[in-house]
Amino acid sequence: MVKILNLSDIHLGSSFRHGKINPETQQNTRLEDFIHSLSICIDRAIDEDVDLVLFGGDAFPDSTPAPYIQSAFANQFRRLAQGNIPTVLLIGNHDQHTQGSGGASLSIYRTLAVPNFIVGEHLETHLIKTKSGLIQVITLPWLTRSVLLTRPETEGLSMEQINQLLIQKIEPCLEDEIRRLNPDIPTILLAHVMAERASLGAERFLAVGKGFQIPLSMLIRSEFDYVSLGHVHKHQNLNPKNNPPVVYPGSIERVDFSEEKEEKGYVLIHLNHKQVHWEFCVLPARSFITIEVDLSHSVHPETDLLEAIAKYNIEDAVVRLIYRLRSEQIELVKMNVINEVLSISHTYTIKAEIISQLTRARLPELGIGKSLDPLSALSTYLNNRQDLQDLVPDMLAAAQNLLSEVS
């Protein structure tokens, strides 16, 4: 039985705009959030005494992270090296420099020959010796068009045709690796790809370049005991039959509000040749909460806004408050009161959207071709203004007096 911890898409150094500076450490609190989630993964690997750790790519937001961010990443993974836990670091699209040429941010671990560390920079099979036996890991890093194709090959082709050509290039290479596998040794495919039928998370906004989709038929192979995928931030299993499981562990922290409703975590795998059990382990990622309120018909907009906020547990969360109101309601909402209520959150943003009078729905009774006396027209208008209901009797009486004076 081989025990494996699988995590992916760390993106250490992301989401700074949703954080603040910790006065004690002088670090962005979102960096501390990401480090905390990563440390939980590493702690679990050490506590469980796993045989192998697989990282599915995208260590940082880009290939040139600041030295203090690189140091934070290295401090965590160094603990695996000290514990003699073999580790595979796969190259993702965010790890590559200039779209695949010029190396990658994780290449330094190969250059320094960190003990028991393998950097998956190419499509190849690695025979790894663990304390529980041998295991084969095929690494398939993020591959770009510039790596696989020349300009003459793609000239005049549509995007779909180029994608098909890319698959034609990759498929025989992967098949060659599969044919050379030892059938008596458990095998895992570790790939950073966009697979068919995958449900996208924030990666749709983060991707440096548009990739191509890998057909599931290339991944669901009897030769694989488990397929671990990186790139998509939403945890999911693309093969519920589990023959083999095709799993995105997802990212370990929320990058932005597009991941607001997604659970974050890692996967723990127990692998006995052709028998696999895996479980998704949830991490305590910081909550992101969006509060949207339409106050345009509210008589007491500030009260209604506070009641809407009170429905959410915003303590220590990253909060986005969006409310809509009319221009004449602006002074009815005191910002110091709203700021005070939101102060218990981790960070918050407030966006007030002013509804233009021009967008107000027209009343059929007052349309072209309709004939109403002035008092009836005013009454019809006022009856459709919920915010003025308390004033209707007085306004109609005043209008009646004006009309009487004119007469």
Side-chain angles (χ1 to χ4, degrees):
M1 181 72 72
V2 180
K3 189 183 298 184
I4 303 165
L5 188 138
N6 178 208
L7 71 158
S8 187
D9 294 271
I10 296 172
H11 287 278
L12 195 63
S14 297
S15 195
F16 277 16
R17 64 191 179 94
H18 298 301
K20 55 190 176 183
I21 298 299
N22 183 334
E24 296 181 2
T25 64
Q26 295 303 308
Q27 287 188 334
N28 189 290
T29 52
R30 290 297 287 147
L31 175 62
E32 294 177 334
D33 288 345
F34 280 68
I35 294 173
H36 178 61
S37 290
L38 177 56
S39 69
I40 293 175
C41 297
I42 304 299
D43 287 343
R44 184 71 184 275
I46 294 171
D47 293 342
E48 293 277 347
D49 194 25
V50 300
D51 300 288
L52 178 66
V53 170
L54 299 176
F55 170 60
D58 284 355
F60 311 104
D62 55 57
S63 63
T64 56
Y68 72 98
I69 296 176
Q70 289 179 318
S71 177
F73 181 90
N75 282 337
Q76 291 300 323
F77 277 87
R78 179 186 60 185
R79 297 196 286 143
L80 297 176
Q82 291 172 335
N84 295 316
I85 298 176
T87 302
V88 181
L89 302 176
L90 188 67
I91 301 299
N93 55 306
H94 290 274
D95 302 315
Q96 294 178 347
H97 181 65
T98 61
Q99 291 289 295
S101 61
S105 58
L106 296 176
S107 299
I108 188 66
Y109 294 92
R110 171 183 52 77
T111 305
L112 294 174
V114 178
N116 293 318
F117 269 48
I118 295 171
V119 180
E121 298 175 282
H122 308 286
L123 172 56
E124 59 182 312
T125 302
H126 307 270
L127 184 61
I128 302 172
K129 184 178 180 180
T130 75
K131 61 181 181 296
S132 297
L134 295 173
I135 188 168
Q136 299 168 121
V137 177
I138 299 178
T139 53
L140 176 57
W142 180 262
L143 299 173
T144 63
R145 300 182 189 93
S146 59
V147 171
L148 296 172
L149 302 174
T150 62
R151 181 165 296 183
E153 288 179 291
T154 60
E155 191 171 352
L157 297 181
S158 66
M159 189 65 67
E160 183 177 351
Q161 290 172 322
I162 292 174
N163 288 345
Q164 288 300 318
L165 189 57
L166 287 166
I167 292 170
Q168 291 172 15
K169 292 273 189 176
I170 294 174
E171 196 164 19
C173 298
L174 180 59
E175 187 66 34
D176 183 56
E177 295 296 327
I178 292 173
R179 290 182 179 181
R180 290 190 284 122
L181 291 170
N182 185 334
D184 298 322
I185 300 176
T187 301
I188 290 179
L189 173 65
L190 178 62
H192 194 93
V193 297
M194 181 68 231
E196 281 182 344
R197 301 209 298 267
S199 178
L200 284 169
E203 184 57 33
R204 75 183 72 189
F205 306 111
L206 291 174
V208 174
K210 298 295 182 182
F212 58 97
Q213 290 192 347
I214 295 291
L216 275 177
S217 58
M218 288 178 59
L219 306 175
I220 301 178
R221 297 286 299 262
S222 60
E223 293 87 354
F224 301 147
D225 295 280
Y226 188 88
V227 177
S228 172
L229 303 180
H231 184 57
V232 174
H233 289 194
K234 183 178 180 179
H235 165 64
Q236 56 201 290
N237 178 15
L238 301 183
N239 185 24
K241 293 182 179 179
N242 288 312
N243 61 344
V246 180
V247 177
Y248 281 104
S251 54
I252 65 170
E253 254 290 345
R254 294 182 177 93
V255 172
D256 56 31
F257 281 95
S258 69
E259 301 181 5
E260 179 177 343
K261 301 184 186 302
E262 297 175 8
E263 286 189 321
K264 297 301 173 183
Y266 58 93
V267 174
L268 199 61
I269 307 163
H270 294 82
L271 181 62
N272 195 356
H273 195 31
K274 298 308 174 187
Q275 293 183 346
V276 59
H277 172 75
W278 65 275
E279 61 175 317
F280 178 67
C281 305
V282 178
L283 287 166
R286 189 175 295 279
S287 297
F288 275 56
I289 298 174
T290 298
I291 304 173
E292 292 193 64
V293 191
D294 187 350
L295 303 172
S296 59
H297 300 293
S298 174
V299 179
H300 305 290
E302 182 180 291
T303 300
D304 291 344
L305 183 57
L306 293 175
E307 288 179 355
I309 296 172
K311 294 177 182 178
Y312 296 84
N313 179 16
I314 65 171
E315 187 173 0
D316 291 329
V318 176
V319 177
R320 175 175 61 173
L321 174 63
I322 304 171
Y323 63 93
R324 301 171 185 85
L325 75 172
R326 303 187 312 278
S327 58
E328 62 266 28
Q329 293 175 300
I330 293 176
E331 293 184 357
L332 300 178
V333 178
K334 300 180 179 65
M335 292 312 302
N336 61 324
V337 175
I338 306 304
N339 286 323
E340 177 65 25
V341 170
L342 294 175
S343 64
I344 64 171
S345 67
H346 183 67
T347 57
Y348 64 89
T349 56
I350 301 174
K351 181 180 180 182
E353 298 179 351
I354 308 302
I355 296 178
S356 170
Q357 296 293 326
L358 297 176
T359 62
R360 187 186 306 277
R362 295 185 178 275
L363 302 177
E365 299 93 330
L366 303 180
I368 296 175
K370 302 292 183 179
S371 179
L372 290 176
D373 63 85
L375 196 61
S376 297
L378 176 61
S379 177
T380 299
Y381 172 76
L382 292 176
N383 287 334
N384 283 274
R385 287 289 300 272
Q386 296 297 320
D387 57 318
L388 299 178
Q389 292 306 297
D390 294 341
L391 303 176
V392 169
D394 292 339
M395 294 182 73
L396 288 176
Q400 182 65 58
N401 291 335
L402 286 171
L403 290 172
S404 298
E405 290 178 5
V406 171
S407 298

